[in-house]
Amino acid sequence: MRIVHYCDYFQPKLGYQETFLTRLHAEMGHEVHVITGNVYRPHPDYDDIWKPILGDRNRQKGTELFEGVTIHRLRTRFEVRTRPWHVSCAAKIASLQPDYLIVHGMSLFGPMRIACYYRKVDHRRRPTIVFDSHANAINSQHRLRSGFYSLYRRSLMPLIRSVADGIVAVDVGSKSFLEEQCGFKSEEISVIGLGADTHLFQRCEQARTNLRTKLEIPATAVVFTYAGKIEAGKGIEIFIDAAVQLIELNKDVAFLLVGGGDIQFKSKLIERVPSSLRKYFVWCGFVENSHLPEYYSASDVSVWPKRVSIGTFEAQACSLPLIVADSPILRDRVTIESGLRFSDNSVSSLLKQMLVLLDAPERRLAMGAAGRADVELHSSWSSIAHQFLDF
């Protein structure tokens, strides 16, 4: 079967959903193509944060191969924030004559143009078309949101509905968002969650020893880790403040912060830590997805203070217990067997849960094993790739 994935941006080194799905569909023996643009996602600090890993933001237009997947990079004519206009994207997709088309995202230009194109094509000559969405109320806080989605419900949603064989939300929060903000009916939406590569992400004791030695973290220290973008809205300041209080109660701890992001915001976070305690914090910067298992293996507990991340699955696949904010999305991902929840925005509540796991090594191991088993059963990318083929 010929499968085409459309993505506004395709950055395979970052390990997002589309990277794993395309690779696994190719491994299953399908002919897989990606239609995207010749630029990477914009960021105000791109040269400092992403360029050392990804290279120049401007990519060469044309075709390239990545792990059995053919990537077609079209010219990006312009961008509105993170919504690009790729030249002739719908025509390029049509020229490949796909059996199955997966459109990642439903925000604006690309999905709109694809839906407009296939609306004019007889349904018997269309591929199977599925649109997926990661949007949720937490991540969609722009001041013009209500106006945009009012327009969306009247214009883009009917277009997508007219050609879609499936609408996919990546979690219950995304499904609620598609219903409440975009106007889709509950029965129109399938939930196919995100996940982890369970072959890549698994605990490795040798990696734990090696990285702790490299980062000068004592073997006995209990390490709490945040992994994700370093930017406002992630609740990292809650993690920092709770960590500072924890150090005052127990000095045999360390805190890893793994990820790139807003340089000025990172400086403000560092300033929240008294100078005498900064040695307990290790700022690792951006880490390529293939090396993240080393950092999870070096850790004992993983913390997500606010926004949801695909990293929750990857940490669990590495047998880490989680401490997460008590939000509907994270509540859906973390069971009482695999982690703890704290009251949203509460430093004292997070500190309490960190203390619970600090002196409970056996409980940490049991929770980590439960999380690993849950990911293997429900959230491996292999299983998710097959679920997309069910359409």
Side-chain angles (χ1 to χ4, degrees):
M1 180 164 62
R2 182 175 295 157
I3 304 175
V4 172
H5 292 253
Y6 170 83
C7 312
D8 281 344
Y9 300 98
F10 189 71
Q11 303 164 148
K13 287 187 178 182
L14 298 187
Y16 291 149
Q17 176 215 39
E18 55 269 21
T19 303
F20 294 110
L21 288 183
T22 53
R23 188 186 70 199
L24 285 165
H25 285 159
E27 289 178 1
M28 292 175 188
H30 300 290
E31 179 186 333
V32 181
H33 299 260
V34 172
I35 306 299
T36 189
N38 67 328
V39 295
Y40 284 157
R41 183 180 293 273
H43 190 282
D45 298 313
Y46 185 93
D47 287 347
D48 295 316
I49 298 169
W50 305 116
K51 188 173 181 178
I53 302 295
L54 301 178
D56 289 335
R57 181 171 176 253
N58 294 314
R59 314 306 297 172
Q60 184 174 349
K61 188 178 71 171
T63 302
E64 61 188 73
L65 294 175
F66 177 79
E67 296 187 0
V69 177
T70 304
I71 304 170
H72 305 266
R73 294 199 177 276
L74 309 179
R75 183 165 69 88
T76 301
R77 179 167 289 167
F78 63 86
E79 296 169 282
V80 178
R81 293 170 61 86
T82 55
R83 296 179 173 89
W85 181 287
H86 303 317
V87 173
S88 303
C89 65
K92 181 62 179 180
I93 291 170
S95 72
L96 293 172
Q97 298 182 314
D99 301 299
Y100 185 18
L101 170 61
I102 302 174
V103 181
H104 295 280
M106 292 192 288
S107 58
L108 201 56
F109 301 127
M112 174 184 68
R113 294 164 67 203
I114 292 167
C116 283
Y117 178 88
Y118 279 107
R119 193 177 192 181
K120 301 173 185 176
V121 176
D122 186 280
H123 70 276
R124 292 169 294 183
R125 296 175 53 225
R126 295 176 192 162
T128 298
I129 305 175
V130 169
F131 293 79
D132 83 348
S133 175
H134 298 229
N136 58 57
I138 296 175
N139 295 333
S140 301
Q141 298 290 341
H142 194 274
R143 59 188 176 86
L144 300 178
R145 183 185 74 176
S146 59
F148 173 81
Y149 284 104
S150 174
L151 179 63
Y152 186 103
R153 286 191 295 272
R154 296 196 303 269
S155 55
L156 186 53
M157 187 272 287
L159 273 174
I160 289 177
R161 177 180 277 155
S162 69
V163 301
D165 295 289
I167 302 294
V168 172
V170 298
D171 51 43
V172 293
S174 293
K175 182 179 181 182
S176 297
F177 189 83
L178 289 175
E179 293 177 50
E180 296 165 8
Q181 296 295 331
C182 303
F184 290 98
K185 297 177 182 178
S186 177
E187 59 269 23
E188 294 178 298
I189 306 167
S190 300
V191 176
I192 301 180
L194 302 175
D197 182 339
T198 52
H199 298 291
L200 173 63
F201 286 89
Q202 51 185 310
R203 190 174 182 85
C204 175
E205 291 302 323
Q206 188 60 55
R208 177 183 177 88
T209 300
N210 292 345
L211 190 62
R212 283 194 173 217
T213 300
K214 177 182 176 181
L215 299 178
E216 299 181 350
I217 297 174
T220 59
V222 177
V223 176
F224 294 83
T225 295
Y226 165 82
K229 292 178 181 176
I230 306 295
E231 61 185 19
K234 296 284 189 177
I236 307 171
E237 64 278 6
I238 301 169
F239 177 53
I240 296 288
D241 293 348
V244 168
Q245 294 184 38
L246 186 63
I247 297 168
E248 295 171 353
L249 300 173
N250 189 316
K251 296 291 193 289
D252 201 14
V253 291
F255 305 92
L256 290 184
L257 293 101
V258 184
D262 187 323
I263 294 174
Q264 292 184 341
F265 180 70
K266 177 182 174 181
S267 298
K268 291 179 181 178
L269 290 175
I270 293 173
E271 290 173 1
R272 297 177 80 96
V273 182
S275 56
S276 62
L277 302 182
R278 290 178 186 174
K279 62 183 179 181
Y280 293 95
F281 293 81
V282 182
W283 300 83
C284 302
F286 173 76
V287 173
E288 195 170 321
N289 189 257
S290 60
H291 293 297
L292 272 175
E294 302 167 26
Y295 289 80
Y296 289 131
S297 294
S299 307
D300 296 290
V301 181
S302 197
V303 180
W304 266 271
K306 205 172 209 27
R307 289 188 183 178
V308 69
S309 165
I310 196 174
T312 54
F313 297 112
E314 295 171 343
Q316 286 179 307
C318 291
S319 302
L320 279 182
L322 269 56
I323 300 178
V324 301
D326 191 15
S327 68
I329 299 173
L330 288 167
R331 199 179 305 141
D332 188 56
R333 293 189 183 186
V334 182
T335 67
I336 58 173
E337 290 82 14
S338 62
L340 302 175
R341 293 189 284 268
F342 70 95
S343 301
D344 196 18
N345 292 318
S346 173
V347 173
S348 61
S349 180
L350 173 55
L351 175 62
K352 180 181 177 181
Q353 300 297 50
M354 293 168 79
L355 284 167
V356 167
L357 293 183
L358 178 63
D359 296 318
E362 292 184 0
R363 187 174 183 183
R364 294 199 301 266
L365 289 174
M367 283 185 161
R372 170 74 189 186
D374 191 56
V375 170
E376 286 182 326
L377 186 62
H378 300 293
S379 305
S380 71
W381 280 121
S382 179
S383 171
I384 292 164
H386 279 95
Q387 289 179 60
F388 268 91
L389 294 183
D390 288 342
F391 284 100

